Amino acid sequence: MGRAQQQTLTQGEHHPVPRPDQLLLPPSSLSPRSHSSFPPGEDRTAEPVHHQPTATRVAMAQPGRGRDPELFAELWRACAGPLVEVPQRGERVFYFLQGHLEQLQEPTDSALLAEQIKMFQVPYKILCKVVNVELKAEAETDEVYAQITLQPESDQDNLPLICDPILPETPRPVVHTFCKILTPSDTSTHGGFSVLRRHANECLPPLDMAMPTPTQEIISKDLHGSEWRFKHIYRGQPRRHLLTTGWSTFVTSKKLMAGDAFVYLRSETGEQRVGVRRLVQKQSTMPASVISSQSMHLGVLASASHARKTNSIFVVYYRPRLSQSQYIVSVNKYLQASKTGFTVGMRFRMNFEAEDVPVKK
Amino acid sequence: MGRAQQQTLTQGEHHPVPRPDQLLLPPSSLSPRSHSSFPPGEDRTAEPVHHQPTATRVAMAQPGRGRDPELFAELWRACAGPLVEVPQRGERVFYFLQGHLEQLQEPTDSALLAEQIKMFQVPYKILCKVVNVELKAEAETDEVYAQITLQPESDQDNLPLICDPILPETPRPVVHTFCKILTPSDTSTHGGFSVLRRHANECLPPLDMAMPTPTQEIISKDLHGSEWRFKHIYRGQPRRHLLTTGWSTFVTSKKLMAGDAFVYLRSETGEQRVGVRRLVQKQSTMPASVISSQSMHLGVLASASHARKTNSIFVVYYRPRLSQSQYIVSVNKYLQASKTGFTVGMRFRMNFEAEDVPVKK
DNA sequence: TTGTCGGCTTAGCGCCGACAA
DNA sequence: TTGTCGGCGCTAAGCCGACAA
């Protein structure tokens, strides 16, 4: 055990959506070459653009009830970061009790814990089927997490030695998204948010460059469905994209600090979403006064133990931004890792970076 | 069970400190009769006043390290309200499992819970000795709570039929304290806080009434040790006491609403404390993403069960402002209640009122 | 006695281009 | 290309007594 290796498990992940920074742009693309009226959009080299009349787009952007679950999932992933993986529904996974306990803060006395693990007779790892996955976000902090329902397999003695069949990937919608780490100027009360030219060109709805100072209103929603409006303006000497009116309210409400990141997303149908990815975890999301850490550990233990004995479902929360230890690992990933020589039973770690950087294919 | 009766258990409680509203004041006491210089203080009819030179007082107000634990406890009690009782260290109490589970929000399926109670073989109530009590406050909300360490008694079969010996009460320091429910004007950004004349006369440090508009700076700390400064001024026509500069910062930081209450306290040595008592509980102090409510319930169950079986200590959190059910009841209170005809096993309830009202002796 | 309001002053929010890294 | 700053207009915070409940 001890210090785990810095290792990612994302080799197998293929983003179906080309990310902005993977696209090649001519350096001169900033000058407004197109003087046709609305919409111009010719700057968007190599982007999958499907122009639709604006009216239709807006109509589609407001589906009848509530939020679009597909787009929600995309926003969730954008806020979680490119390295975060969530097990798929129907997949088989290993549940590591110790990793789960480590996700809880304030570890209790480890000797006592060991005694209690023995008392509950919980095996080291449990083979489970993923019954359900719900992506969620903490109301107070916007921290993303997944509520995962697991069902222990009845046969825990003959663990799988070959890979499970690969489940069909659910198709993901095409989105334009960026993520920018906030500068001190971005978060100060002195001004607005400076949109990087690349991000504006590739993700924001196109402005009417025929106007002397092009402006539009960005209407977007966050993970909770709350609406946020920003004035997007292209001004200054030299010209640059800015978010002004509405931005400071966002910063204040989300309690953003320099170093945190702003996440923006636009779907093909024109729906817009915003979110945050924090540099550091806002401390003590857990108020100390609910139950003792002792009881919390025992509760996790007892839940796993009881589910294992009765083959009944149990619910866990996976918080990818909090813990660096991934305590739910798909059978296939696990076998692959074992094969390539990792210690069986290691903790799985991943790097975090706040801003999405280009990944070489 | 069902709906419990509205009943308080505070008959036995005797406040060693006379509260302001228990004191008789002549209606004319507001006019500055004393024109002697500093300090005047003659308004303080019937108060235990021990004048000391100001310099000495200030020196004593800053003890070497950290906060005065006695004064902290007084502030805690003032914020908790006059009806809140906390078990005493060394005392014997009954611990009611079901009441404890009810304090947790989001109750799980009660049938499942009953099954699990059976599984853990936890008795209905557990006779315990109070090993330790720590008064605390939630960092985010200032909600007061007590961390109570309990040790089950080895003999759980022969429950006490007569009262335990009464423990000596620890002496409590003399303090001047008030608690005022905030009006819309108090919490609006338009102005400051209006100090009721009685409260100012009886609790705030005396002003120099020889000045045309008497003013002083109130320097105080909250339950976390954070310092708060307020300008206390006596002005207007007719004259009244106000807290101005510094007040709005306090309101914003503590997220106070009209209906919440402001708590102020001053010790004999001149140390000042401030706190809040909220009208309604700030919702969802517990973020949903830590452990499942299922596991939380199981954890409480397992903790109590394990402690009971091994006669080892366990820790619980008592949140007097959250739940109306008191799940830790001293043996003596319990016997007294049984004697006077209450259903054994009832839940203990109490009234809450935000502002301290005079209690007839 | 004290809650609310109109009047007034002023701090700081927030929009702008300048400038330089 | 974009982060930071000085300038400045303007909103809202916040202090005051008036007035009435």
Side-chain angles (χ1 to χ4, degrees), chain A residues 30 180 185 190 197 238 240:
Chain A
L30 56 145
K180 185 202 172 193
S185 295
H190 190 62
R197 179 170 301 277
R240 90 276 313 277

Side-chain angles (χ1 to χ4, degrees), chain A residues 1 21 35 45 54 68 135 142 203-204 219 242 247 250 287 293 309 335 344 354:
Chain A
M1 299 207 206
D21 32 35
H35 284 268
T45 325
T54 311
D68 179 347
L135 305 182
D142 280 41
C203 303
L204 294 185
I219 303 179
L242 297 165
W247 171 253
F250 185 78
S293 62
K309 284 177 188 157
L335 290 176
V344 174

Side-chain angles (χ1 to χ4, degrees), chain A residues 209-237:
Chain A
M209 292 302 188
M211 303 289 291
T213 57
T215 293
Q216 67 180 335
E217 189 178 26
I218 303 287
I219 303 179
S220 57
K221 287 182 180 174
D222 65 13
L223 284 169
H224 313 295
S226 306
E227 189 177 274
W228 298 95
R229 292 168 183 250
F230 307 98
K231 180 178 184 182
H232 169 208
I233 194 168
Y234 185 68
R235 63 160 171 83
Q237 200 50 251

Side-chain angles (χ1 to χ4, degrees), chain B residues 30 180 185 190 196-197 238 240:
Chain B
L30 55 145
K180 185 200 171 194
S185 296
H190 190 61
L196 301 192
R197 180 169 301 278
R240 92 277 310 278

Side-chain angles (χ1 to χ4, degrees), chain B residues 285-296:
Chain B
T285 57
M286 174 73 175
S289 63
V290 180
I291 63 173
S292 67
S293 63
Q294 171 74 255
S295 296
M296 207 151 66

Side-chain angles (χ1 to χ4, degrees), chain A residues 22-322:
Chain A
Q22 292 175 326
L23 301 172
L24 287 173
L25 283 179
S28 60
S29 65
L30 56 145
S31 61
R33 289 170 297 168
S34 158
H35 284 268
S36 68
S37 65
F38 193 85
E42 268 78 10
D43 295 351
R44 300 165 177 280
T45 325
E47 280 258 18
V49 180
H50 308 284
H51 281 305
Q52 294 179 0
T54 311
T56 311
R57 214 185 274 172
V58 170
M60 289 181 62
Q62 308 291 344
R65 47 176 175 71
R67 57 198 185 200
D68 179 347
E70 281 197 350
L71 209 52
F72 173 85
E74 286 307 310
L75 177 59
W76 193 97
R77 285 186 161 81
C79 291
L83 300 179
V84 167
E85 286 180 53
V86 177
Q88 216 176 334
R89 184 180 183 152
E91 191 176 29
R92 295 206 301 171
V93 297
F94 284 112
Y95 165 80
F96 292 90
L97 178 61
Q98 185 167 351
H100 189 189
L101 291 173
E102 283 172 5
Q103 177 174 290
L104 310 174
Q105 288 102 324
E106 308 176 54
T108 43
D109 165 29
S110 60
L112 182 61
L113 195 60
E115 178 212 328
Q116 287 163 345
I117 291 184
K118 207 176 295 174
M119 185 178 79
F120 279 99
Q121 299 174 317
V122 202
Y124 169 73
K125 62 176 186 279
I126 304 176
L127 179 63
C128 298
K129 172 164 279 185
V130 176
V131 175
N132 196 23
V133 175
E134 287 182 35
L135 305 182
K136 301 190 171 185
E138 203 62 67
E140 194 72 15
T141 62
D142 280 41
E143 182 191 348
V144 292
Y145 67 94
Q147 175 185 310
I148 301 176
T149 308
L150 297 174
Q151 178 157 35
E153 295 278 82
S154 49
D155 183 1
Q156 295 283 337
D157 300 318
N158 303 302
L159 297 181
L161 297 175
I162 58 167
C163 281
D164 284 347
I166 292 174
L167 296 178
E169 283 190 21
T170 54
R172 288 170 56 181
V174 175
V175 294
H176 309 274
T177 180
F178 70 79
C179 174
K180 185 202 172 193
I181 296 180
L182 301 177
T183 66
S185 295
D186 288 330
T187 54
S188 90
T189 59
H190 190 62
F193 171 82
S194 184
V195 186
L196 302 192
R197 179 170 301 277
R198 212 184 49 229
H199 291 161
N201 286 337
E202 296 166 2
C203 303
L204 294 185
L207 286 168
D208 181 0
M209 292 302 188
M211 303 289 291
T213 57
T215 293
Q216 67 180 335
E217 189 178 26
I218 303 287
I219 303 179
S220 57
K221 287 182 180 174
D222 65 13
L223 284 169
H224 313 295
S226 306
E227 189 177 274
W228 298 95
R229 292 168 183 250
F230 307 98
K231 180 178 184 182
H232 169 208
I233 194 168
Y234 185 68
R235 63 160 171 83
Q237 200 50 251
R239 290 272 181 269
R240 90 276 313 277
H241 292 271
L242 297 165
L243 300 186
T244 56
T245 310
W247 171 253
S248 73
T249 309
F250 185 78
V251 169
T252 305
S253 302
K254 300 295 190 188
K255 302 186 184 86
L256 295 178
M257 316 278 295
D260 294 340
F262 174 62
V263 172
Y264 171 86
L265 182 149
R266 184 169 60 92
S267 77
E268 289 281 278
T269 60
E271 282 187 86
Q272 298 173 92
R273 296 288 185 274
V274 289
V276 301
R277 197 189 296 170
R278 292 184 199 281
L279 176 61
V280 288
Q281 209 49 233
K282 282 180 65 64
Q283 82 286 6
S284 89
T285 57
M286 174 75 175
S289 64
V290 181
I291 63 174
S292 67
S293 62
Q294 171 74 256
S295 296
M296 208 151 64
H297 280 80
L298 277 180
V300 168
L301 267 168
S303 292
S305 167
H306 180 259
R308 166 68 189 82
K309 284 177 188 157
T310 61
N311 288 325
S312 57
I313 61 171
F314 67 114
V315 174
V316 301
Y317 293 103
Y318 170 51
R319 304 169 63 185
R321 307 284 315 162
L322 168 67

